[in-house]
Amino acid sequence: MRKGIAVSPGVSVGTAYCIHEIFVNPDTRRLEENQVREELTRFERARDQAASELRALSKKVSSQVGEQEAAIFQAHETILHDPAFTSKVRSCIADDHLAAPAALHRVLDEYSSLFARTRDEYIKERLADVRDVIVRLSGHLSEVLQPDSTDLPGPLVLIASELLPSHVMVLGERQMAGIVTQSGGRTSHAAILARSRGVPAVSGVRGILRQIKTGDRVIVDGRDGVVIVGPDAETESAYRKVEREFVHLKDQLAENRDQDAVTADGEPIELLANVNSLSDTDAAVAMGASGVGLFRTEYLYLTHRDVPDEEEQFQAYCQVIEHSPSRCVTIRTLDLGGDKTVPYFGHDREANPFMGWRSIRLSFEHPDFFATQLRAIHRAAAVADADCDVRLLFPMITILEEMRRLRRIVRRLLRDMQAQGIPTRPIPLGMMLEVPAAAVSIDALLGEVDFVSIGSNDLVQYLMAADRDNPKVNHLCQPLSPAVLRVLSQVIASCRRAGKPVTLCGEMAGMPRGFVLLHGMGLRSFSMSPAQVPVIKDLAKQLSQEKTEAILQRALELKTVGEINRFMRTQFAELAPNLKMLDTQ
Ligand code: PEP
Ligand code: MG
């Protein structure tokens, strides 16, 4: 039994499907003499494929983003053709009879120890490039990275070091019953994806890939953050029973999809969905959300083979608007950085990526690239029916000047579009409140925005100075911390005083305990993973303003996150005993 962080509630029992980052267990079997030639050809073929892929990427990125950003792919192609690199790999195959993936693994090891001796940071960073090239090559020797899942029996549990956008494609093809990752925390993207699909998940299980192999039986308990490898028959049958109850409860709750979201005192609340893709948007409808409160557009870029152009983006935005519940969508501009990177912006690796050149900062630096996205969004809003409610949301706003600059950019863009005869429609402009500085100066910022969306995932990590992806500081990165609750109360109160619409779209909105406290703060609009909508709708039926205000008051008197969590657990058990299985910390 291994313990990790519970990131998506529920229980599942299935067959492990391991995605190794690269060669965690390289196949070190020696080739027979007569296999060597074939293996060399296989390597050369992978090299040709990788080279043409890099050339295509470079061309597209250069025209869509910029020459400078495309340079990374040219550099990678140079490594691919570097005689020292290729002859090392060839010699491992021809002289040492290693299979191509194992040869690449050995060469990467050699470079790693060589580079470890240098103090030069620039040189050290080049190792990351060699690594990228090797990962790309391995992708073309594909069976190493992706064991074939088609022969595996029953539901699959995905086991990975971390969940990458490329894994999402695998997920798309075959529904996973559970997800376990070695790194990450409650709000890292693996967790968000798992929750949006309603799949039980546990993160931060260090070293799990060394203890489990594809085909093993595994249990994922997303309530307590437990993973059991190779359970005995008795344990498996006990968990199967809980799994059935979990599935039954979810099905039962989803039947409330056509009901309005109202509290016991008859007050309506808004339950919106966070989506990354069109299929999430369909899930938002199926789960009974009343709109899309956050469309994370970066997944368009992260899952694209190179860069989505204006037309592709326009089509994607139109589709999401068309498929959204009530055709109400808040589209967030590109929020790359931190744990979401694309190769064309990843050349200069930073010591503190979450605090660095990410999100809106990156968009400012690439005005043409940013304008392409803004044009596509405005075009999609303009062609949508008049009753559609499309809004534009800017991530990671830190200072007032940024909002003013964004207003100018949008004004200019609309003028240019009108001059070109392109139909436009002005749409509300909002900010994500996820940086403590913006929380402190919220009153000034409110003058420049039409609405606010609180990004509690980032707000918590910045306020607590605790990386949301690092399991070691998970005890600090807690949304129910006294400091976080105070800041959230103040921000919500400021927005309400100023009469500005405010939503919270971090994962906290869909956590039963978080939801109760936010309701007590006066928040009435929540955006969450689609799968959480029926749970929160059911919970809301037990609440009233008086009740949640009293609970919040008591919680604010407590001094530690442990006390608050214990208190909320008992409150929750009393309020909604039927939902106990779906409660998470
Ligand atoms: C947040 O930070 O709370 C948020 C919703 O944005 P993301 O999780 O995409 O950073
Ligand atoms: Mg964020």
Side-chain angles (χ1 to χ4, degrees), residues 332 335 358 432 434 458 468:
R332 178 175 76 182
D335 186 26
R358 61 168 290 212
M432 284 205 68
E434 37 192 359
D458 277 316
R468 62 194 262 187

Side-chain angles (χ1 to χ4, degrees), residues 146 164-171 302-303:
Q146 311 271 319
L164 302 173
S166 54
H167 301 154
V168 179
M169 315 242 191
V170 180
L171 280 175
L302 290 166
T303 55

Side-chain angles (χ1 to χ4, degrees), residues 9-57:
V11 167
S12 66
V13 183
T15 307
Y17 176 61
C18 301
I19 297 193
H20 293 283
E21 190 196 3
I22 45 166
F23 331 112
V24 175
N25 296 314
D27 185 356
T28 46
R29 264 171 310 171
R30 284 175 58 82
L31 301 170
E32 299 298 329
E33 189 58 50
N34 61 3
Q35 293 175 310
V36 167
R37 244 182 112 91
E38 199 184 316
E39 198 61 7
L40 284 169
T41 316
R42 200 162 81 96
F43 169 62
E44 291 307 333
R45 206 180 310 124
R47 210 158 66 95
D48 288 346
Q49 286 164 340
S52 62
E53 193 174 75
L54 283 166
R55 273 194 297 274
L57 269 168

Side-chain angles (χ1 to χ4, degrees), residues 189 294 296 298 332 335 340 354 358-359 395-396 432 434 455-459 461-462 468 505:
H189 285 271
L294 173 67
R296 290 183 166 101
E298 51 278 7
R332 178 175 76 182
D335 186 26
K340 295 172 286 187
F354 269 118
R358 61 168 290 212
S359 194
M396 215 188 166
M432 284 205 68
E434 37 192 359
S456 54
N457 303 340
D458 277 316
L459 183 61
Q461 79 160 340
Y462 293 133
R468 62 194 262 187
C505 62

Side-chain angles (χ1 to χ4, degrees), residues 112 119 318 348 524 534:
S112 302
R119 296 231 169 112
C318 287
D348 299 316
R524 295 294 178 265

